[in-house]
Amino acid sequence: LAKTTQPISMDSYEGQEVNITCSHNNIATNDYITWYQQFPSQGPRFIIQGYKTKVTNEVASLFIPADRKSSTLSLPRVSLSDTAVYYCLVGAGTSGGSYIPTFGRGTSLIVHP
Amino acid sequence: ETGVTQTPRHLVMGMTNKKSLKCEQHLGHNAMYWYKQSAKKPLELMFVYNFKEQTENNSVPSRFSPECPNSSHLFLHLHTLQPEDSALYLCASSQDYRVAGGNEQFFGPGTRLTVL
């Protein structure tokens, strides 16, 4: 499994754009990059997933450079309710193989008024 | 609502008690997972079931016993637990454990377990 490295914590203010970068130098050819959000005492919630280039949904954007050794989760115009822990996961399953989702410590984002 | 429910939401038990946690998914998924999340620690994967078969046991002590009677239900039977087992226990499901490509997980709200 590709190991991921993220900042432990980040601070931002309401209305700002937040970019959280995840390093995954050992990413394999068939690995996908997935981001989850977790609020205290709740289960993680899927935010976005991508393989290469850029993916955008109603919540966030995911930027993946050509070498795929890192990825950046972009949250536009954050609000107080975006205060949470954000996890970057890398991995995939192949036919006959297995995918073991491994959560690291994540990035604790605090949004200030 | 994620389509994954867990009961009870809170549980307090003594070290000699036997209790069970229940998870149910209404998403038609084939894979189900148990995670443990202790305070200030990452989620720890405990067990994985795919098509009712246990595929992963992440070196979990035998005082935790999983059961998966069908693809929609997952139980975690608890007995003679220790205070350090107090944690948030999360259940998750996904379409399949062995898919080519991404495998989004849907998590339940968790059971907050306190062992006295």
Side-chain angles (χ1 to χ4, degrees), chain A residues 11-18 75-83 109-113:
Chain A
D11 288 87
S12 184
Y13 293 88
E14 284 189 292
Q16 289 189 336
E17 178 184 75
V18 171
L75 305 173
R77 298 179 298 281
V78 294
S79 64
L80 296 176
S81 62
D82 292 315
T83 294
L109 172 66
I110 298 176
V111 179
H112 303 277

Side-chain angles (χ1 to χ4, degrees), chain B residues 7-84:
Chain B
T7 54
R9 295 293 308 276
H10 300 272
L11 178 62
V12 179
M13 59 186 290
M15 290 191 287
T16 58
N17 291 157
K18 291 185 180 181
K19 297 287 184 182
S20 296
L21 309 184
K22 179 182 177 182
C23 175
E24 184 174 0
Q25 58 98 357
H26 311 274
L27 302 168
H29 288 167
N30 298 308
M32 297 189 76
Y33 312 76
W34 278 118
Y35 286 88
K36 173 186 178 182
Q37 189 171 35
S38 304
K40 308 292 185 183
K41 289 186 177 181
L43 280 79
E44 301 172 51
L45 181 65
M46 299 175 73
F47 302 103
V48 181
Y49 278 82
N50 201 50
F51 291 94
K52 301 188 300 177
E53 298 297 322
Q54 186 179 127
T55 56
E56 297 290 334
N57 177 338
N58 204 20
S59 302
V60 180
S62 60
R63 57 186 183 270
F64 296 91
S65 175
E67 178 189 1
C68 188
N70 54 61
S71 293
S72 299
H73 294 85
L74 185 64
F75 295 88
L76 187 62
H77 304 299
L78 316 171
H79 63 96
T80 59
L81 294 191
Q82 306 298 314
E84 59 264 30

Side-chain angles (χ1 to χ4, degrees), chain B residues 87-99:
Chain B
L88 180 67
Y89 288 84
L90 291 159
C91 173
S93 72
S94 66
Q95 184 59 46
D96 197 304
Y97 178 52
R98 298 169 301 171
V99 295

Side-chain angles (χ1 to χ4, degrees), chain A residues 32 36 38 41 93 97 99 105, chain B residues 37 40 97-100 105:
Chain A
Y32 277 65
Y36 287 84
Q38 186 181 24
S41 297
Y99 171 59
R105 290 190 174 275
Chain B
Q37 189 171 35
K40 308 292 185 183
Y97 178 52
R98 298 169 301 171
V99 295
Q105 289 182 298

Side-chain angles (χ1 to χ4, degrees), chain A residues 22-96:
Chain A
C22 178
S23 297
H24 28 80
N25 292 318
N26 298 322
I27 190 168
T29 302
N30 60 350
D31 282 347
Y32 277 65
I33 300 156
T34 310
W35 286 80
Y36 287 84
Q37 174 193 57
Q38 186 181 24
F39 298 112
S41 297
Q42 294 185 26
R45 182 177 71 102
F46 172 88
I47 300 176
I48 198 166
Q49 183 179 82
Y51 183 79
K52 62 180 180 180
T53 63
K54 177 184 175 181
V55 179
T56 297
N57 61 24
E58 64 277 6
V59 177
S61 294
L62 180 60
F63 298 92
I64 305 169
D67 65 6
R68 304 198 331 119
K69 293 184 182 298
S70 67
S71 59
T72 299
L73 174 72
S74 181
L75 305 173
R77 298 179 298 281
V78 294
S79 64
L80 296 176
S81 62
D82 292 315
T83 294
V85 177
Y86 292 82
Y87 298 95
C88 165
L89 278 73
V90 173
T94 57
S95 178

